Amino acid sequence: MQNSAECIVIGAGAAGLFCAAELAKRGKKVVVVDKGKKIGRKILMSGGGFCNFTHLEVTAQHYICHNPHFVKSALARFSAWDFISKVLEYGIPYHEKEAGQLFCDNSAKDIVEMLQAECMRYGVTFCLQQSIEKVAYFPREQYRFHINSMEKSWCCQHLIVATGGLSMPNLGVSPLGYQIAEQFGIHCYPPRAGLVPFTWRESDKIFSELAGVTLPVRVRSENGKFFDNKMLFTHRGLSGPAILQISNYWQANEWLEIDLLPQVNFSDLVAKFRQISAKMQLKTLLCRYLPKRLVELWITQETIVTQLADRCLADMNKQQLIELEKWIHHWQFLPNGTEGYRTAEVTLGGVDTEAISSKTMECKTVAGLYFIGEVLDVTGWLGGYNFQWAWSSAYACAISI
């Protein structure tokens, strides 16, 4: 027996839950279908369990999309402040961790419970542990979409695909959203891991000895994009906010340039200390401004630092300073690859936005079919931007229906 509803939302993540609540609030009969046992599983794991639910400054420039203008309409109609108002309405305490990044004080569970409460308040029905096997389309029928799992079947007027991406595979993610798009002739850009750590090449594995060391850097990709933030050495490679950000712009076999001392010019630093402490050794100066473990590793690895470590600042010549400056400010790093979806926070690529209305999130060629959230070819920077896209795209979809 088929169950009917005006709207069926596939996916009980951030975008799906918020869209379902907004639809039900406006009087629609809504069913949320998900293959998992619980709702909002990615939300619970986000932000170290504290959910970086938005950012105070959100613009189109904070997103990667083959159509850079696509996100503007939805972001304008439902802003970060609109979602913050919802958080305040539910009395959820939050804080600004880094410039503009908002996190829950207590737990990401607060956001999931808020979304669940909104859904329950307006009568949303949940059907969990349902793996969808088939979606059929009958454009002339009242309930034009027929959805089947092994156990149940549904029909609806509006089908909202909010299946997310492929990151965090241990949560049972699937390419269902892309498959539905392709079924209806909608192009998808190949998905790949985003906001993800890099791994070492064999020749760089000596740096794994620095696991746990962090420092502020400027990291630049070959296309000129750069980020200033912290970098973390790990056993497997490089991570930290700066690295996660640049990973969205990196392509296989491309070099990265890393400035290990972005806050000061090394030559100026040497000139300054030559005036006040000319007998200071190079290694002493480096250890004042860089992690000691990093400097000590350089000394053991037959580098320019090895040659000059015990040299007094006053005794270094211009050419040596040029080499040191290049070593510190222009480290050329060639990643072996990334850690992949296992540790990725988001998925790049996805449903081509050229096929989707930026105002309604509806497919231009299939009436009643909508795509929202991460399944689309929209990827935000680290810092709450991906959640804000989930809220904004869900809202645009809901109010259009």
Side-chain angles (χ1 to χ4, degrees), residues 6 8 41 65 77 80 89 119 127 135 143 174 222 246-247 253 256 268 276 282 284-285 296 301 391 395:
E6 287 177 89
I8 289 181
R41 291 173 296 163
C65 178
R77 278 182 292 159
E89 179 186 333
C119 286
C127 289
V135 175
Y143 295 103
S174 81
E222 284 192 15
I246 206 68
S247 72
N253 301 314
L256 295 171
D268 292 343
I276 60 177
L282 173 65
T284 303
L285 176 63
E296 290 174 344
Q301 293 304 304
W391 318 135
Y395 183 82

Side-chain angles (χ1 to χ4, degrees), residues 197-202 204-213 232-239 293 339 342:
F198 292 118
T199 55
W200 300 123
R201 288 176 300 152
E202 194 65 36
D204 288 329
K205 284 187 177 178
I206 185 67
F207 289 107
S208 64
E209 294 180 18
L210 300 176
V213 170
L232 168 69
F233 287 90
T234 74
H235 290 292
R236 295 181 293 274
L238 292 178
S239 188
R293 286 170 59 191
E339 291 194 7
R342 183 181 65 83

Side-chain angles (χ1 to χ4, degrees), residues 227-286:
F227 290 95
D228 294 320
N229 213 312
K230 290 183 179 179
M231 180 177 79
L232 168 69
F233 287 90
T234 74
H235 290 292
R236 295 181 293 274
L238 292 178
S239 188
I243 296 300
L244 298 185
Q245 294 278 38
I246 206 68
S247 72
N248 281 354
Y249 296 88
W250 178 81
Q251 299 292 332
N253 301 314
E254 288 185 351
W255 291 83
L256 295 171
E257 182 178 278
I258 304 175
D259 184 347
L260 298 167
L261 197 62
Q263 67 270 36
V264 63
N265 180 275
F266 181 71
S267 293
D268 292 343
L269 201 60
V270 171
K272 171 186 172 182
F273 277 90
R274 274 177 168 171
Q275 296 294 321
I276 60 177
S277 185
K279 295 295 184 182
M280 178 184 288
Q281 293 180 323
L282 173 65
K283 64 184 178 184
T284 303
L285 176 63
L286 291 176

Side-chain angles (χ1 to χ4, degrees), residues 50 77 88 109 121 166 210 242 282 326 362 385:
F50 291 91
R77 278 182 292 159
L88 291 172
K109 188 177 179 183
R121 179 179 178 184
L166 301 177
L210 300 176
L282 173 65
K326 183 179 179 181
E362 186 176 19
Y385 299 104

